[in-house]
Amino acid sequence: MLARPKDFMECALSLAGLALGYTSPNPAVGAVLVRDGMVVGFGHTQPPGSVHAEIMALRQSGSRAKGATMYVTLEPCCHQGRTPPCTQAIIDAGIAEVHVALVDPNPLVSGKGLKILEEAGIKTFVGQCQEGAREINEGYIKFITTGMPFVIAKFAMSLDGKIATQNGDSKWISGEESRQFVHYLRHIFDAIMVGANTVVVDDPQLSVRGCSGKGGKTKLQPLRVIVDGRGRIPVSARVFEKPGKTLVAVAKPFNAKKADDFRKAGAEIVELPAKKDVIDLGELLRVLGRREVTSVLVEGGSGLFGSLFDRGLVDKVLAFISPIIIGGDGAKSAVGGNGVNNVADALRLNRVKVIEFGDDVLISGYVGDR
């Protein structure tokens, strides 16, 4: 069966997926060049400062690019950044048509790239596989339009909604397949965030397996962000170990000796406004945004989740549900905080998906209309 335009765009989306985890703060983009029904070039975004997907595909195709059709997951850039504009390279190569899945929300590009191509006589088409392209770059889209990182709340719980026993044991609620997927999530996110209690009780390292930087295509470990208003975590905690960098967010003003101890352990300290040692999480996210952190994976605990949900700071939820019953009146549920008084006021996710990981079920969905 002959390939359809949708097939080529889906191929470009697959290529964009390969770039996730390597391109931030740039978007992850895939491009496919087709001539006479045959793929003559393809590519995906390289790390910042290197070539974009379109340039990679053009270089691969060489002279066969003339008269070809390009399928690209995001509108080609038209401004000089770390690299020259892709629109000019597309024009110079003699491309006949450009199919774009999603218009770039970056004000420097939005619609301008398409206009430049059209003025050069290149036919443009927009919207095929748009939702897939939007999901791949949801972190970039949130960051480029608001200056704030995209926030995912990820937790694993039993069928009765518990994230640990009443004695605090939580290893392991989710199965091996679920835990492997979490390492993939850590790989594609800029930062991982947890509360102090999670560090005190579980002592996680919050690193990515297979991300050591030895050979092949690698990326930096995600930034580990610990929300610890009172500075309760011990300096012996594994979150201070290499590889990876650690930022500890504390309440202002903070004890100078504790701050010095954390720095000696290898952490960076950020003092933030707080009420009763509860940090202003909105300000923390703004600080991360100014550092070009485009995405944050929040992994616990219930107090941090509760504060984020109460303040409307969560964009997406990933809930792994394991077919076990823990029970116990004292066992914690996934989300603490103030919550709501009436079920009718409960936060309802939209664009919900259900995926199986072994015996576990992952329910994902977006908060509000994002």
Side-chain angles (χ1 to χ4, degrees):
M1 185 175 70
L2 293 175
R4 303 164 298 169
K6 184 180 179 183
D7 296 328
F8 295 126
M9 188 62 82
E10 288 177 346
C11 178
L13 285 173
S14 296
L15 289 164
L18 295 176
L20 283 171
Y22 300 100
T23 65
S24 183
N26 293 336
V29 181
V32 173
L33 272 174
V34 178
R35 183 173 173 179
D36 299 325
M38 300 290 291
V39 174
V40 295
F42 56 85
H44 55 74
T45 313
Q46 299 301 296
S50 301
V51 297
H52 291 187
E54 300 94 322
I55 305 303
M56 193 175 177
L58 288 170
R59 288 179 179 176
Q60 190 177 90
S61 63
S63 61
R64 293 175 295 176
K66 187 173 179 62
T69 297
M70 176 176 283
Y71 295 85
V72 61
T73 58
L74 192 69
E75 179 181 9
C77 66
C78 56
H79 64 290
Q80 177 71 47
R82 292 186 178 97
T83 58
C86 291
T87 48
Q88 191 57 52
I90 292 170
I91 294 167
D92 293 343
I95 298 297
E97 291 183 9
V98 175
H99 293 245
V100 172
L102 184 69
V103 173
D104 192 337
N106 186 343
L108 294 174
V109 182
S110 189
K112 300 181 181 72
L114 289 166
K115 184 178 180 182
I116 288 171
L117 295 176
E118 290 165 354
E119 289 175 347
I122 298 173
K123 295 180 180 178
T124 63
F125 303 86
V126 181
Q128 195 163 56
C129 300
Q130 180 173 272
E131 284 308 307
R134 188 185 304 279
E135 184 171 358
I136 284 175
N137 278 308
E138 55 197 11
Y140 164 76
I141 292 169
K142 169 82 179 291
F143 172 73
I144 206 68
T145 55
T146 68
M148 299 267 281
F150 187 83
V151 177
I152 285 187
K154 187 278 298 180
F155 48 85
M157 64 184 184
S158 62
L159 273 179
D160 55 339
K162 310 297 186 181
I163 60 171
T165 68
Q166 54 191 353
N167 296 324
D169 179 46
S170 61
K171 289 185 172 60
W172 295 99
I173 288 178
S174 57
E176 179 61 28
E177 290 184 35
S178 297
R179 298 199 297 274
Q180 288 178 358
F181 182 68
V182 169
H183 275 275
Y184 165 72
L185 290 174
R186 289 180 179 179
H187 162 72
I188 65 174
F189 272 72
D190 290 347
I192 302 169
M193 182 185 293
V194 297
N197 199 55
T198 295
V199 176
V200 171
V201 174
D202 296 336
D203 194 23
Q205 190 172 7
L206 302 179
S207 60
V208 183
R209 295 176 191 152
C211 191
S212 63
K214 297 180 180 179
K217 191 175 183 183
T218 59
K219 63 158 276 182
L220 295 174
Q221 290 279 346
L223 175 67
R224 296 172 290 199
V225 180
I226 315 302
V227 181
D228 186 9
R230 292 176 287 166
R232 295 192 296 118
I233 63 174
V235 293
S236 59
R238 295 202 301 159
V239 292
F240 297 120
E241 296 176 1
K242 293 183 179 180
K245 296 180 179 180
T246 302
L247 182 153
V248 181
V250 298
K252 182 193 297 184
F254 189 64
N255 182 282
K257 185 182 183 307
K258 281 187 177 181
D260 190 50
D261 289 342
F262 283 149
R263 291 189 185 100
K264 287 178 180 178
E268 177 186 357
I269 304 300
V270 174
E271 295 188 39
L272 296 167
K275 290 183 179 179
K276 297 181 180 179
D277 293 327
V278 178
I279 288 171
D280 184 338
L281 295 173
E283 182 57 28
L284 172 57
L285 292 174
R286 283 186 284 274
V287 167
L288 294 175
R290 289 194 288 271
R291 295 173 179 226
E292 294 190 324
V293 171
T294 67
S295 56
V296 177
L297 181 67
V298 185
E299 295 200 19
S302 64
L304 179 58
F305 284 140
S307 295
L308 288 166
F309 279 112
D310 286 344
R311 293 205 55 192
L313 296 173
V314 176
D315 297 293
K316 188 176 183 179
V317 175
L318 297 177
F320 292 88
I321 302 174
S322 179
I324 60 174
I325 304 293
I326 291 178
D329 291 337
K332 283 190 175 181
S333 62
V335 181
N338 297 324
V340 297
N341 293 322
N342 302 300
V343 172
D345 298 324
L347 186 152
R348 182 174 293 276
L349 304 181
N350 60 67
R351 286 185 279 159
V352 173
K353 293 182 181 178
V354 179
I355 305 173
E356 293 183 8
F357 286 93
D359 291 334
D360 298 341
V361 172
L362 169 62
I363 297 179
S364 69
Y366 293 84
V367 178
D369 55 2
R370 281 186 277 256

Coordinates of all heavy atoms in Angstrom, one line a residue, residues 191-264:
A191 N 13.6 18.6 35.2 CA 13.8 18.6 36.7 C 12.8 17.6 37.3 O 11.7 17.3 36.8 CB 13.5 20.0 37.3
I192 N 13.2 17.0 38.4 CA 12.4 16.2 39.3 C 12.2 16.9 40.6 O 13.2 17.3 41.2 CB 13.0 14.8 39.5 CG1 13.3 14.1 38.2 CG2 12.1 13.9 40.4 CD1 14.2 12.8 38.3
M193 N 11.0 16.9 41.1 CA 10.8 17.6 42.4 C 10.1 16.7 43.4 O 9.2 15.9 43.0 CB 9.8 18.8 42.1 CG 9.5 19.6 43.4 SD 8.3 21.0 43.1 CE 9.2 22.0 41.9
V194 N 10.6 16.7 44.6 CA 10.0 16.0 45.7 C 10.0 16.9 47.0 O 10.8 17.9 47.1 CB 10.7 14.7 46.0 CG1 10.7 13.7 44.9 CG2 12.2 14.9 46.5
G195 N 9.2 16.5 48.0 CA 9.2 17.2 49.2 C 10.2 16.6 50.2 O 10.7 15.5 50.0
A196 N 10.5 17.3 51.3 CA 11.5 16.9 52.3 C 11.1 15.5 52.8 O 12.0 14.7 53.0 CB 11.6 17.9 53.4
N197 N 9.9 15.2 53.1 CA 9.5 14.0 53.8 C 9.8 12.8 52.9 O 10.2 11.7 53.4 CB 8.0 14.0 54.1 CG 7.6 13.0 55.2 OD1 8.3 13.0 56.3 ND2 6.7 12.1 54.9
T198 N 9.7 13.0 51.6 CA 10.0 11.9 50.7 C 11.5 11.5 50.8 O 11.8 10.3 50.8 CB 9.6 12.3 49.2 OG1 8.2 12.4 49.1 CG2 10.1 11.2 48.2
V199 N 12.3 12.5 50.9 CA 13.7 12.3 51.0 C 14.1 11.6 52.4 O 14.8 10.7 52.5 CB 14.5 13.6 50.9 CG1 16.0 13.3 51.1 CG2 14.3 14.2 49.5
V200 N 13.4 12.1 53.5 CA 13.7 11.6 54.8 C 13.3 10.2 54.9 O 14.0 9.3 55.5 CB 13.0 12.5 55.9 CG1 13.1 11.8 57.2 CG2 13.6 13.9 55.9
V201 N 12.1 9.8 54.4 CA 11.5 8.5 54.6 C 12.1 7.5 53.6 O 12.5 6.4 53.9 CB 10.0 8.5 54.4 CG1 9.4 7.1 54.4 CG2 9.4 9.4 55.6
D202 N 12.2 7.9 52.3 CA 12.5 6.9 51.2 C 14.0 7.0 50.8 O 14.5 6.1 50.2 CB 11.7 7.1 50.0 CG 10.2 6.9 50.2 OD1 9.9 6.1 51.2 OD2 9.3 7.4 49.5
D203 N 14.7 8.1 51.0 CA 16.1 8.3 50.6 C 16.3 8.0 49.1 O 17.2 7.2 48.8 CB 17.0 7.6 51.5 CG 18.5 8.0 51.3 OD1 18.7 9.2 50.9 OD2 19.4 7.2 51.6
P204 N 15.5 8.6 48.2 CA 15.7 8.2 46.8 C 16.9 9.0 46.2 O 17.3 10.0 46.7 CB 14.4 8.8 46.2 CG 14.1 10.0 47.0 CD 14.5 9.6 48.4
Q205 N 17.5 8.5 45.1 CA 18.6 9.2 44.5 C 18.0 10.1 43.4 O 18.6 11.1 43.0 CB 19.5 8.2 43.9 CG 20.8 8.9 43.4 CD 21.9 7.9 43.0 OE1 21.6 6.7 42.9 NE2 23.1 8.3 42.7
L206 N 16.8 9.8 42.8 CA 16.2 10.6 41.8 C 17.0 10.8 40.6 O 17.1 11.9 40.0 CB 15.8 12.0 42.4 CG 14.8 11.9 43.6 CD1 14.5 13.3 44.1 CD2 13.5 11.2 43.3
S207 N 17.7 9.7 40.2 CA 18.6 9.8 39.0 C 18.0 8.9 37.9 O 17.0 8.2 38.1 CB 20.0 9.3 39.3 OG 20.0 8.0 39.7
V208 N 18.5 9.0 36.7 CA 18.1 8.2 35.6 C 19.0 7.1 35.3 O 20.2 7.3 35.1 CB 17.9 9.1 34.3 CG1 17.3 8.3 33.2 CG2 17.0 10.3 34.6
R209 N 18.5 5.9 35.2 CA 19.3 4.7 34.9 C 19.8 4.9 33.4 O 19.1 5.4 32.6 CB 18.6 3.4 35.0 CG 18.2 3.0 36.4 CD 17.3 1.8 36.4 NE 16.7 1.5 37.7 CZ 15.6 0.9 37.8 NH1 14.9 0.4 36.8 NH2 15.1 0.7 39.0
G210 N 21.0 4.4 33.1 CA 21.5 4.5 31.8 C 21.8 5.9 31.3 O 21.7 6.1 30.1
C211 N 22.0 6.8 32.2 CA 22.3 8.2 31.8 C 23.6 8.7 32.3 O 23.8 9.8 32.8 CB 21.1 9.1 32.3 SG 21.1 10.8 31.6
S212 N 24.6 7.8 32.2 CA 25.9 8.1 32.8 C 26.8 9.0 31.9 O 27.8 9.5 32.3 CB 26.7 6.8 33.0 OG 26.9 6.1 31.8
G213 N 26.5 9.1 30.6 CA 27.3 9.9 29.7 C 28.4 9.2 29.1 O 29.3 9.7 28.5
K214 N 28.5 7.8 29.2 CA 29.6 7.0 28.7 C 29.2 6.5 27.3 O 28.5 5.5 27.2 CB 29.9 5.9 29.6 CG 30.5 6.4 31.0 CD 30.8 5.2 31.9 CE 31.3 5.7 33.2 NZ 31.6 4.6 34.1
G215 N 29.6 7.1 26.3 CA 29.4 6.6 24.9 C 27.9 6.8 24.5 O 27.0 6.9 25.2
G216 N 27.8 6.9 23.2 CA 26.4 7.0 22.6 C 25.8 8.4 22.9 O 26.5 9.3 23.3
K217 N 24.5 8.5 22.6 CA 23.8 9.7 22.8 C 23.3 9.8 24.2 O 22.6 9.0 24.7 CB 22.6 9.7 21.8 CG 21.9 11.0 21.7 CD 20.8 10.9 20.7 CE 20.1 12.3 20.5 NZ 19.0 12.2 19.5
T218 N 23.8 10.9 24.9 CA 23.4 11.0 26.3 C 22.9 12.4 26.6 O 23.0 13.3 25.8 CB 24.7 10.8 27.2 OG1 25.7 11.7 26.8 CG2 25.2 9.4 27.0
K219 N 22.4 12.6 27.8 CA 22.0 13.9 28.2 C 22.4 14.1 29.7 O 22.8 13.1 30.3 CB 20.5 14.1 28.1 CG 19.7 13.1 29.0 CD 18.3 13.6 29.2 CE 18.3 14.6 30.4 NZ 17.0 15.1 30.7
L220 N 22.3 15.3 30.2 CA 22.5 15.5 31.6 C 21.4 14.9 32.4 O 20.3 14.7 32.0 CB 22.6 17.0 31.9 CG 23.7 17.8 31.2 CD1 23.5 19.3 31.4 CD2 25.1 17.3 31.7
Q221 N 21.8 14.5 33.6 CA 20.8 14.1 34.6 C 19.8 15.2 34.9 O 20.2 16.4 34.8 CB 21.4 13.6 35.9 CG 22.2 12.3 35.8 CD 21.3 11.1 35.9 OE1 20.2 11.2 36.2 NE2 21.9 10.0 35.5
P222 N 18.5 14.9 35.1 CA 17.6 16.0 35.5 C 18.0 16.7 36.8 O 18.6 16.1 37.6 CB 16.2 15.3 35.6 CG 16.6 13.9 35.9 CD 17.9 13.6 35.2
L223 N 17.7 18.0 36.9 CA 17.9 18.7 38.1 C 17.0 18.2 39.2 O 15.8 18.0 39.0 CB 17.6 20.2 37.9 CG 17.7 21.1 39.1 CD1 19.2 21.2 39.6 CD2 17.2 22.5 38.8
R224 N 17.6 17.9 40.4 CA 16.8 17.4 41.5 C 16.4 18.6 42.4 O 17.3 19.3 42.9 CB 17.6 16.4 42.3 CG 17.9 15.1 41.5 CD 18.9 14.2 42.2 NE 20.2 14.7 42.2 CZ 21.3 13.9 42.5 NH1 21.2 12.6 42.6 NH2 22.5 14.5 42.5
V225 N 15.1 18.8 42.5 CA 14.6 20.0 43.3 C 13.9 19.4 44.5 O 13.0 18.7 44.5 CB 13.6 20.8 42.4 CG1 13.1 22.0 43.3 CG2 14.3 21.3 41.2
I226 N 14.5 19.8 45.7 CA 13.9 19.3 47.0 C 13.3 20.5 47.7 O 13.9 21.5 47.9 CB 15.0 18.8 47.9 CG1 16.0 17.8 47.1 CG2 14.4 18.1 49.1 CD1 15.3 16.7 46.4
V227 N 12.0 20.4 47.9 CA 11.2 21.4 48.6 C 11.3 21.1 50.1 O 10.7 20.2 50.6 CB 9.8 21.5 48.2 CG1 9.0 22.6 48.9 CG2 9.7 21.7 46.7
D228 N 12.1 21.9 50.8 CA 12.4 21.6 52.2 C 12.5 23.0 53.0 O 13.6 23.5 53.3 CB 13.8 20.9 52.3 CG 14.1 20.4 53.7 OD1 13.2 20.5 54.6 OD2 15.2 20.0 53.9
G229 N 11.3 23.5 53.4 CA 11.2 24.8 54.0 C 12.1 24.9 55.2 O 12.8 25.9 55.4
R230 N 12.1 23.9 56.1 CA 12.9 24.0 57.4 C 14.3 23.4 57.3 O 15.0 23.4 58.3 CB 12.1 23.3 58.5 CG 10.8 24.0 58.8 CD 10.0 23.2 59.9 NE 9.4 22.1 59.3 CZ 8.8 21.0 60.0 NH1 8.9 21.1 61.3 NH2 8.3 20.0 59.4
G231 N 14.6 22.8 56.2 CA 16.0 22.2 56.1 C 16.1 20.9 56.9 O 17.0 20.7 57.6
R232 N 15.1 20.0 56.7 CA 15.0 18.8 57.5 C 15.9 17.6 56.9 O 16.2 16.7 57.6 CB 13.6 18.3 57.6 CG 12.7 19.3 58.4 CD 11.4 18.6 58.8 NE 10.6 18.3 57.6 CZ 10.2 17.1 57.2 NH1 10.6 16.0 58.0 NH2 9.5 16.9 56.2
I233 N 16.2 17.7 55.6 CA 16.8 16.5 55.0 C 18.3 16.4 55.5 O 18.9 17.4 55.6 CB 16.7 16.5 53.5 CG1 17.5 17.7 52.9 CG2 15.3 16.6 53.0 CD1 17.6 17.7 51.4
P234 N 18.7 15.1 55.7 CA 20.1 15.0 56.2 C 21.1 15.2 55.0 O 20.8 14.9 53.9 CB 20.1 13.5 56.6 CG 19.1 12.8 55.8 CD 18.0 13.9 55.6
V235 N 22.3 15.7 55.4 CA 23.3 15.9 54.3 C 23.9 14.6 53.8 O 24.6 14.5 52.8 CB 24.5 16.7 54.9 CG1 24.0 18.1 55.2 CG2 25.1 16.1 56.1
S236 N 23.5 13.5 54.4 CA 23.9 12.1 53.9 C 23.0 11.6 52.9 O 23.2 10.5 52.4 CB 24.0 11.1 55.1 OG 22.8 11.0 55.8
A237 N 21.9 12.3 52.6 CA 20.8 11.8 51.7 C 21.4 11.5 50.3 O 22.3 12.2 49.8 CB 19.7 12.8 51.6
R238 N 20.9 10.5 49.6 CA 21.4 10.2 48.3 C 21.1 11.2 47.2 O 21.8 11.1 46.2 CB 20.8 8.8 47.9 CG 21.3 7.7 48.8 CD 21.2 6.3 48.1 NE 19.8 6.1 47.7 CZ 19.4 5.2 46.7 NH1 20.3 4.6 46.1 NH2 18.2 5.0 46.4
V239 N 20.2 12.1 47.5 CA 19.9 13.1 46.5 C 21.1 14.1 46.3 O 21.2 14.8 45.3 CB 18.7 14.0 46.8 CG1 17.4 13.2 46.7 CG2 18.8 14.6 48.2
F240 N 22.1 14.0 47.2 CA 23.3 14.9 47.0 C 24.4 14.2 46.3 O 25.4 14.8 46.0 CB 23.8 15.3 48.4 CG 22.9 16.2 49.2 CD1 22.4 15.8 50.4 CD2 22.5 17.4 48.7 CE1 21.5 16.6 51.2 CE2 21.6 18.2 49.4 CZ 21.1 17.8 50.6
E241 N 24.2 12.9 46.0 CA 25.2 12.1 45.3 C 25.2 12.4 43.8 O 24.2 12.7 43.2 CB 25.0 10.6 45.6 CG 25.1 10.2 47.0 CD 24.8 8.7 47.2 OE1 24.5 8.0 46.2 OE2 24.8 8.2 48.4
K242 N 26.4 12.2 43.2 CA 26.5 12.3 41.8 C 26.0 10.9 41.1 O 26.0 9.9 41.8 CB 27.9 12.6 41.4 CG 28.4 13.9 41.8 CD 29.8 14.2 41.3 CE 30.3 15.6 41.7 NZ 31.6 15.9 41.3
P243 N 25.5 10.9 39.9 CA 25.5 12.1 39.0 C 24.3 13.0 39.2 O 23.3 12.6 39.8 CB 25.4 11.4 37.6 CG 24.6 10.2 37.9 CD 25.1 9.7 39.2
G244 N 24.4 14.2 38.7 CA 23.3 15.1 38.7 C 23.5 16.2 39.7 O 24.3 16.1 40.6
K245 N 22.7 17.3 39.6 CA 22.8 18.5 40.4 C 21.5 18.5 41.3 O 20.5 18.1 40.9 CB 23.0 19.8 39.6 CG 24.3 19.8 38.8 CD 24.4 21.1 38.0 CE 25.7 21.2 37.3 NZ 25.8 22.5 36.5
T246 N 21.7 19.1 42.5 CA 20.6 19.2 43.4 C 20.4 20.7 43.9 O 21.3 21.4 44.2 CB 20.8 18.3 44.6 OG1 21.0 17.0 44.2 CG2 19.7 18.4 45.6
L247 N 19.1 21.1 43.8 CA 18.7 22.4 44.3 C 17.8 22.2 45.5 O 16.8 21.4 45.4 CB 18.0 23.2 43.2 CG 17.6 24.6 43.5 CD1 17.5 25.4 42.2 CD2 16.2 24.6 44.1
V248 N 18.1 22.8 46.6 CA 17.2 22.7 47.8 C 16.5 24.1 48.0 O 17.1 25.1 48.2 CB 18.0 22.3 49.1 CG1 17.0 22.2 50.2 CG2 18.7 21.0 48.8
A249 N 15.2 24.0 47.9 CA 14.4 25.2 48.1 C 14.0 25.3 49.5 O 13.3 24.4 50.1 CB 13.1 25.2 47.2
V250 N 14.4 26.4 50.2 CA 14.1 26.6 51.6 C 13.4 27.9 51.9 O 13.3 28.8 51.0 CB 15.5 26.6 52.4 CG1 16.2 25.3 52.2 CG2 16.4 27.7 52.0
A251 N 12.8 28.0 53.1 CA 12.1 29.2 53.5 C 13.1 30.3 53.9 O 14.0 30.1 54.6 CB 11.1 28.9 54.6
K252 N 12.7 31.5 53.4 CA 13.5 32.7 53.8 C 13.0 33.3 55.0 O 11.8 33.5 55.2 CB 13.4 33.7 52.6 CG 14.2 35.0 52.8 CD 13.8 36.0 51.8 CE 14.1 35.6 50.3 NZ 13.8 36.7 49.3
P253 N 13.8 33.8 56.0 CA 15.3 33.6 56.0 C 15.7 32.2 56.5 O 14.9 31.6 57.3 CB 15.8 34.6 57.0 CG 14.6 34.7 58.0 CD 13.4 34.5 57.2
F254 N 16.8 31.7 56.0 CA 17.2 30.3 56.3 C 18.4 30.3 57.2 O 19.3 31.1 57.1 CB 17.4 29.5 55.0 CG 17.6 28.1 55.2 CD1 16.6 27.3 55.7 CD2 18.8 27.4 54.9 CE1 16.7 25.9 55.9 CE2 19.0 26.1 55.1 CZ 17.9 25.3 55.6
N255 N 18.5 29.3 58.1 CA 19.7 29.1 59.0 C 21.0 29.0 58.2 O 21.1 28.2 57.3 CB 19.5 27.8 59.8 CG 20.6 27.6 60.8 OD1 21.7 27.1 60.4 ND2 20.3 27.9 62.0
A256 N 21.9 29.9 58.5 CA 23.1 30.0 57.7 C 24.0 28.8 57.8 O 24.6 28.3 56.8 CB 24.0 31.2 58.2
K257 N 24.1 28.2 59.0 CA 24.9 26.9 59.1 C 24.3 25.8 58.3 O 25.0 25.0 57.7 CB 25.0 26.5 60.6 CG 25.9 25.3 60.8 CD 26.0 24.9 62.2 CE 27.0 23.8 62.4 NZ 26.7 22.6 61.5
K258 N 22.9 25.6 58.4 CA 22.3 24.6 57.6 C 22.6 24.8 56.1 O 22.9 23.8 55.3 CB 20.8 24.5 57.8 CG 20.4 23.8 59.1 CD 18.9 23.7 59.2 CE 18.5 23.0 60.5 NZ 17.0 22.8 60.5
A259 N 22.5 26.0 55.7 CA 22.7 26.3 54.2 C 24.1 26.0 53.9 O 24.4 25.4 52.8 CB 22.5 27.8 54.0
D260 N 25.1 26.3 54.7 CA 26.5 26.0 54.5 C 26.7 24.4 54.4 O 27.4 23.9 53.6 CB 27.4 26.6 55.5 CG 28.9 26.5 55.2 OD1 29.2 26.9 54.1 OD2 29.7 26.0 56.0
D261 N 26.0 23.7 55.3 CA 26.1 22.2 55.3 C 25.6 21.7 54.0 O 26.2 20.7 53.4 CB 25.4 21.7 56.5 CG 26.0 21.9 57.8 OD1 27.2 22.3 57.8 OD2 25.3 21.8 58.8
F262 N 24.5 22.2 53.5 CA 23.9 21.7 52.2 C 24.9 22.0 51.1 O 25.0 21.2 50.2 CB 22.5 22.4 52.0 CG 21.4 21.8 52.8 CD1 20.3 22.6 53.2 CD2 21.4 20.4 53.1 CE1 19.3 22.0 53.9 CE2 20.4 19.9 53.9 CZ 19.3 20.7 54.2
R263 N 25.5 23.2 51.1 CA 26.4 23.5 50.0 C 27.6 22.6 50.0 O 28.1 22.2 49.0 CB 26.8 25.0 50.1 CG 25.7 26.0 49.8 CD 26.2 27.4 49.8 NE 25.1 28.4 49.6 CZ 24.5 29.1 50.6 NH1 25.0 29.0 51.8 NH2 23.5 29.9 50.4
K264 N 28.1 22.3 51.2 CA 29.2 21.4 51.3 C 28.9 20.0 50.8 O 29.8 19.3 50.3 CB 29.7 21.3 52.8 CG 30.5 22.6 53.2 CD 30.9 22.5 54.7 CE 31.6 23.7 55.2 NZ 32.0 23.6 56.6

